[in-house]
Amino acid sequence: MRKVMLWLTGWGMADSSWDAVRSQFPSYQHIAPDYSDVTDSVQFFEKVEGEIRSLSAEELIVVGWSMGGMLGIRLAAQYPVSALVLIGTTARFTCEQHDLRKGWHPAILQRMKRQLSVARERVMGAFVEQMLTPGERKQIGLHVGVDSQKWSTAALIAGLTYLEEEDCRPFLSSLTTPTLVIHGTEDAICSLAAGEGLASSLAGAHFVQIPDCGHAPHVFVPEVVADSLKRMVEQLAEESNQQPI
């Protein structure tokens, strides 16, 4: 049986941010799209599709973080996915109201896009700082893979456009894929309320709330994320064994 995990990282983040969790699943084939040459928002999903279009896996687990989670939702709505893991994800990133509990105002993303071309490091630094709790900021030197220089500035701008435009809410009511939603209680990028709302909109979704954690739980508490993912894998195995031959 060919078992595959597809890892979809968040905006501007390095694939290596998954390493601590990914290493806990040695029996799986691990694949991840490369966004380095993306210049348009539609290309993100095209990259994801390209990874699985010719894949003949009997089990495909999609793990998405933030923007990657939104890509994962769209993928699960269109392709057979065995299980979906959504970390720090919301179904709609932007909100016209000035209420960060519901989403970011589009004007914030538009300002970031303008500034990226002239002050990339400052924009990314401010974003990473907002991702983390004060305690996590003190640990940041211990962790690698949070900000990726591999993303071109064009790809970063295209990613912000994707976040501004994407709306996964129409997919939620019909999505039957077993889903695990993981969210830090102190997430300042995608609020806890957004994660709770996402989980409640997905039939049978399991919600894992991580106390005192920001937007990157798989980086700072990988053991918690890995344990939750292992339980999902075990449940898939049990259900597979119960199916008649």
Side-chain angles (χ1 to χ4, degrees):
M1 179 178 178
R2 189 183 184 198
K3 301 186 294 184
V4 178
M5 285 187 176
L6 173 66
W7 301 85
L8 306 176
T9 194
W11 177 78
M13 300 296 112
D15 178 64
S16 60
S17 64
W18 294 118
D19 285 352
V21 175
R22 192 160 43 197
S23 64
Q24 299 301 305
F25 300 91
S27 65
Y28 281 77
Q29 175 186 350
H30 300 286
I31 58 177
D34 177 8
Y35 303 129
S36 60
D37 60 349
V38 166
T39 57
D40 187 273
S41 60
V42 300
Q43 293 173 341
F44 287 101
F45 190 66
E46 291 174 354
K47 291 280 189 180
V48 174
E49 279 188 305
E51 293 291 345
I52 63 99
R53 190 177 289 119
S54 60
L55 200 62
S56 57
E58 293 182 47
E59 182 180 304
L60 172 62
I61 297 177
V62 177
V63 187
W65 171 28
S66 194
M67 186 183 97
M70 300 178 81
L71 288 162
I73 293 171
R74 180 172 284 275
L75 185 71
Q78 299 182 34
Y79 290 86
V81 170
S82 304
L84 183 61
V85 182
L86 305 173
I87 302 172
T89 301
T90 178
R92 177 65 169 154
F93 191 78
T94 55
C95 176
E96 292 296 337
Q97 304 172 27
H98 290 281
D99 186 351
L100 287 178
R101 292 173 299 175
K102 297 180 179 179
W104 288 35
H105 195 280
I108 298 174
L109 300 184
Q110 292 161 10
R111 182 170 64 248
M112 289 174 67
K113 284 192 282 186
R114 292 193 299 269
Q115 294 174 341
L116 272 169
S117 298
V118 294
R120 171 183 167 128
E121 293 303 319
R122 180 166 58 83
V123 172
M124 295 304 297
F127 182 76
V128 170
E129 183 174 356
Q130 191 169 358
M131 283 173 48
L132 311 179
T133 67
E136 289 168 349
R137 290 174 198 142
K138 294 177 182 178
Q139 300 178 52
I140 195 64
L142 304 176
H143 298 276
V144 296
V146 176
D147 175 21
S148 173
Q149 292 298 322
K150 193 172 183 180
W151 285 62
S152 67
T153 298
L156 290 172
I157 292 172
L160 292 176
T161 300
Y162 177 87
L163 289 171
E164 187 178 349
E165 296 174 344
E166 180 65 285
D167 187 353
C168 294
R169 291 174 296 183
F171 305 130
L172 302 182
S173 61
S174 60
L175 202 62
T176 59
T177 305
T179 303
L180 172 64
V181 178
I182 301 174
H183 222 96
T185 60
E186 307 307 312
D187 191 333
I189 302 296
C190 297
S191 71
L192 178 63
E196 291 172 330
L198 175 61
S200 66
S201 299
L202 292 164
H206 181 57
F207 184 61
V208 176
Q209 177 177 309
I210 303 180
D212 304 316
C213 184
H215 190 56
H218 58 296
V219 175
F220 291 94
V221 285
E223 65 283 355
V224 176
V225 175
D227 286 347
S228 297
L229 187 46
K230 284 176 182 177
R231 286 193 289 271
M232 170 172 268
V233 167
E234 289 168 359
Q235 184 175 350
L236 287 175
E238 289 176 9
E239 293 173 355
S240 177
N241 290 335
Q242 291 171 4
Q243 291 179 0
I245 299 176

